[in-house]
């Protein structure tokens, strides 16, 4: 049964051979945890690492539906998308120039850690100015917009900077929990590439990849000034080799938009690796964006499309966590919400965007438990927004959500969160589409159960 222990007899595997897509199309996105813990074996034992079990389960699911779709007369009867997530979500480095990316640095968060106003040559000449429209910084000599992309592309020390790998930050001002379509005239709706700044040498941080002015304890405003200086990225400082660099936390493979090509889906699933932290709100938000007809990924049918079922499957094996080790000035590591608790260049403390969209339930404190509570609130809000997107006039969820807790301890805060997030059943509308998979065999059975649930409207009798 859902909402607790799985009853294997309820899901006869032989029924899979009967799946025939009839008069309804299916769009299904798998949002799959790729955090570091997925590289271990389940606590129940077994020979496979968890990441390998999820690969098997996901490829089996796609194979069954695509096989059943072969006889359909519908256009694109079944499509699948894949969203691997860990500390961040990778939208693909090929999208650097996409219209929905902030390519000019106009978003309010784009230059949080880059002080272009004080970028000067070795002789003291200013190198940056505001554009004629005064909505972004540009290089004085070339008029090129000065952005995180500019640093990735033109920075001197390539081993430390490297190319942008494809991850993006969470949008500000409440947009992180929405699928609001990006628009040039609303800069904060655009997506900003992640850029973890080089942290001050004396901060005891874990992402200090350039030498930038000593290791002694200094004031918060001086440390933030050192952190935001630009010249170090262009040769003024020597590499230090500590930390992941500006791509910190970007360890997952890119999103695969909706497609009916089995080889593409299988390749995306089999390319997944386990590394990094767990950021469920980013994962599920991007699953939604892949399903919808809105940019940035617009392959999905319109929310009011006739006879079309949109499905999101979320699987995680761990609680939310954020930012890794804090340092003396940034009271968390860097993540998709920036720093969770930090200081500005004037030494004033400020809370980070992780506390956007939260209520009084989250007590703002510079500690991991407070960050997790804020992330859990975001998950709950995003889940509700997803189910409300295209809600049927008869009350059914516009997007059906299945959730799977894999190898999670009883009492985990995420288990309750996942159960609340799940939609009610297709076969039995009184039960949640939530599965508590305590072992690898449980996970495989959960995916079989999902296959049965989704195909229940189109099983050939």
């Amino acid at each position: 049964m859902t909402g607790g222990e799985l009853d294997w007899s309820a899901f006869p595997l032989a029924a899979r051979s009967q799946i025939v897509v009839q008069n309804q199309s299916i769009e299904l996105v798998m949002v799959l945890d790729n955090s570091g813990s997925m590289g271990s074996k389940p606590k129940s034992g077994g020979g496979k690492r968890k990441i390998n079990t999820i690969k098997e389960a996901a490829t089996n699911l796609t194979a069954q539906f695509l096989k059943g779709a072969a006889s359909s007369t519908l256009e694109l009867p079944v499509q699948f998308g894949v969203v691997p997530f860990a500390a961040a979500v990778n939208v693909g480095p090929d999208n650097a120039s996409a219209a929905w990316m902030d390519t000019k640095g106009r978003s309010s968060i784009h230059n949080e850690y880059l002080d272009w106003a004080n970028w000067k040559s070795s002789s003291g000449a200013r190198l940056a100015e505001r554009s004629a429209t005064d909505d972004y910084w540009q290089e004085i000599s070339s008029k090129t917009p000065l952005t995180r992309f500019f640093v990735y592309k033109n920075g001197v020390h390539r081993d430390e900077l490297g190319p942008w790998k494809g991850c993006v930050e969470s949008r500000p001002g409440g947009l992180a929990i929405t699928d609001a379509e990006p628009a040039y005239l609303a800069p904060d709706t655009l997506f900003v590439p992640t850029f973890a700044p080089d942290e001050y040498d004396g901060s005891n941080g874990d992402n200090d990849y350039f030498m930038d002015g000593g290791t002694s304890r200094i004031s918060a405003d001086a440390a933030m000034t050192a952190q935001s200086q630009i010249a170090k990225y262009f040769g003024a400082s020597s590499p230090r080799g500590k930390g992941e660099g500006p791509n910190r936390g970007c360890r997952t493979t890119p999103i695969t938009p909706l497609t009916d090509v089995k080889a593409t889906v299988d390749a995306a699933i089999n390319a997944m690796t386990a590394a990094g932290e767990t950021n469920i709100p980013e994962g599920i938000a991007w699953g939604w964006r892949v399903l919808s007809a809105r940019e940035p990924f617009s392959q999905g049918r319109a929310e009011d499309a006739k006879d079309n079922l949109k499905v999101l499957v979320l699987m995680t094996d761990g609680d939310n966590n954020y930012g890794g080790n804090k340092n003396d000035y940034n009271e968390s590591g860097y993540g998709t919400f920036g720093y969770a608790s930090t200081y500005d260049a004037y030494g004033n403390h400020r809370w980070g965007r992780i506390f956007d969209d939260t209520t009084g339930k989250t007590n703002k404190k510079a500690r991991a438990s407070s960050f997790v509570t804020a992330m859990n609130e975001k998950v709950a809000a995003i889940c509700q927004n997803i189910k409300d997107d295209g809600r049927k006039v008869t009350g059914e969820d516009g997007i059906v959500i299945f959730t799977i807790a894999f190898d999670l301890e009883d009492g985990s805060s995420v288990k309750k969160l996942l159960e609340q997030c799940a939609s009610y059943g297709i076969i039995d509308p009184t039960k949640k589409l939530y599965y508590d998979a305590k072992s690898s065999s449980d996970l495989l059975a959960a995916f079989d159960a999902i296959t049965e649930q989704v195909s229940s409207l189109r099983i050939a009798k």
Side-chain angles (χ1 to χ4, degrees):
M1 63 180 180
T2 56
E5 296 295 327
L6 290 169
D7 178 4
W8 312 132
S9 63
F11 311 113
L13 302 188
R16 292 191 294 183
S17 63
Q18 299 178 347
I19 293 172
V20 177
V21 177
Q22 297 177 339
N23 63 345
Q24 280 206 341
S25 52
I26 307 168
E27 295 170 343
L28 189 151
V29 171
M30 292 174 282
V31 179
L32 305 176
D33 189 341
N34 280 205
S35 62
S37 57
M38 285 294 292
S40 63
K41 296 179 181 179
K43 291 181 282 293
S44 61
K48 282 187 177 181
R49 294 186 302 138
K50 289 184 280 186
I51 192 72
N52 291 331
T53 302
I54 191 59
K55 290 179 182 180
E56 178 184 352
T59 53
N60 285 347
L61 182 146
T62 56
Q64 292 301 321
F65 277 111
L66 290 172
K67 179 180 178 181
S71 60
S72 174
T73 58
L74 296 175
E75 181 181 2
L76 297 175
V78 178
Q79 293 190 89
F80 289 95
V82 182
V83 179
F85 74 94
V89 170
N90 189 330
V91 300
D94 292 344
N95 284 313
S97 60
W100 42 269
M101 290 294 298
D102 184 22
T103 57
K104 289 187 175 181
R106 296 168 60 247
S107 169
S108 63
I109 65 173
H110 198 116
N111 294 309
E112 275 185 315
Y113 313 116
L114 295 172
D115 183 11
W116 296 111
N118 290 303
W119 184 34
K120 298 178 181 179
S121 69
S122 57
S123 64
R126 291 179 61 243
L127 298 174
E129 64 181 5
R130 297 295 288 173
S131 66
T133 52
D134 196 34
D135 61 347
Y136 61 90
W137 287 97
Q138 64 184 17
E139 189 177 26
I140 291 175
S141 60
S142 67
K143 307 305 179 187
T144 301
L146 294 173
T147 65
R148 297 176 177 192
F149 289 122
F150 182 88
V151 180
Y152 275 120
K153 182 178 180 180
N154 298 293
V156 171
H157 300 291
R158 305 310 303 157
D159 288 344
E160 279 67 36
L161 295 174
W164 175 59
K165 291 183 178 180
C167 292
V168 292
E169 289 198 0
S170 309
R171 295 187 292 184
L175 291 164
I177 63 172
T178 76
D179 184 36
E181 192 160 22
Y184 183 82
L185 295 179
D188 279 355
T189 65
L190 301 173
F191 290 95
V192 174
T194 53
F195 188 92
D198 165 65
E199 297 170 350
Y200 170 62
D201 293 350
S203 67
N204 295 315
D206 64 359
N207 202 38
D208 175 15
Y209 48 97
F210 285 126
M211 296 179 182
D212 56 9
T215 58
S216 60
R217 177 75 182 182
I218 57 177
S219 63
D221 58 330
M224 292 300 100
T225 297
Q227 180 171 282
S228 63
Q229 65 177 302
I230 302 294
K232 59 186 172 183
Y233 300 113
F234 296 94
S237 299
S238 299
R240 185 177 175 87
K242 181 182 178 183
E244 296 180 53
N247 279 297
R248 183 189 193 279
C250 188
R251 299 186 179 187
T252 56
T253 49
I255 284 173
T256 298
L258 289 172
T259 179
D260 65 342
V261 180
K262 182 177 183 297
T264 300
V265 180
D266 286 351
I269 293 168
N270 289 320
M272 297 189 308
T273 59
E277 298 160 338
T278 304
N279 188 339
I280 300 172
E282 273 298 276
I284 194 169
W286 278 103
W288 180 14
R289 292 166 192 147
V290 171
L291 271 175
S292 82
R294 298 176 286 272
E295 293 285 359
F297 295 102
S298 55
Q299 290 83 356
R301 290 176 170 85
E303 62 183 37
D304 58 353
K306 185 179 180 181
D307 296 328
N308 183 57
L309 180 64
K310 290 181 181 284
V311 179
L312 188 150
V313 178
L314 168 65
M315 185 284 303
T316 184
D317 79 329
D319 295 339
N320 280 307
N321 53 74
Y322 191 77
N325 297 326
K326 68 178 183 179
N327 62 48
D328 293 345
Y329 306 100
N330 301 299
E331 296 174 324
S332 77
Y334 171 86
T336 64
F337 300 102
Y339 290 100
S341 176
T342 187
Y343 294 84
D344 62 22
Y346 302 99
N348 300 311
H349 177 267
R350 61 184 176 91
W351 296 110
R353 284 177 284 117
I354 198 167
F355 294 110
D356 288 355
D357 325 305
T358 59
T359 65
K361 296 178 182 178
T362 298
N363 189 5
K364 293 182 181 179
K365 291 186 177 180
R367 62 189 186 194
S369 61
S370 186
F371 305 155
V372 169
T373 301
M375 294 174 80
N376 288 350
E377 272 204 60
K378 292 179 189 297
V379 171
I382 296 167
C383 288
Q384 189 59 53
N385 290 342
I386 291 172
K387 290 182 286 190
D388 286 342
D389 187 17
R391 185 172 291 282
K392 313 303 181 189
V393 294
T394 49
E396 293 97 338
D397 293 347
I399 296 174
V400 177
I401 300 178
F402 291 83
T403 59
I404 306 170
F406 182 25
D407 194 38
L408 277 166
E409 298 282 356
D410 290 337
S412 164
S413 62
V414 169
K415 280 193 173 184
K416 183 176 181 181
L417 189 65
L418 292 176
E419 185 168 10
Q420 292 171 340
C421 178
S423 298
Y424 281 97
I426 298 172
I427 295 174
D428 183 347
T430 67
K431 294 180 179 178
K432 284 277 192 172
L433 298 175
Y434 161 71
Y435 304 93
D436 184 3
K438 298 181 182 299
S439 65
S440 294
S441 60
D442 285 2
L443 182 72
L444 294 169
F447 269 75
D448 282 325
I450 291 169
T451 303
E452 295 295 327
Q453 286 277 351
V454 175
S455 62
S456 63
L457 299 178
R458 53 192 64 78
I459 291 285
K461 299 298 183 183

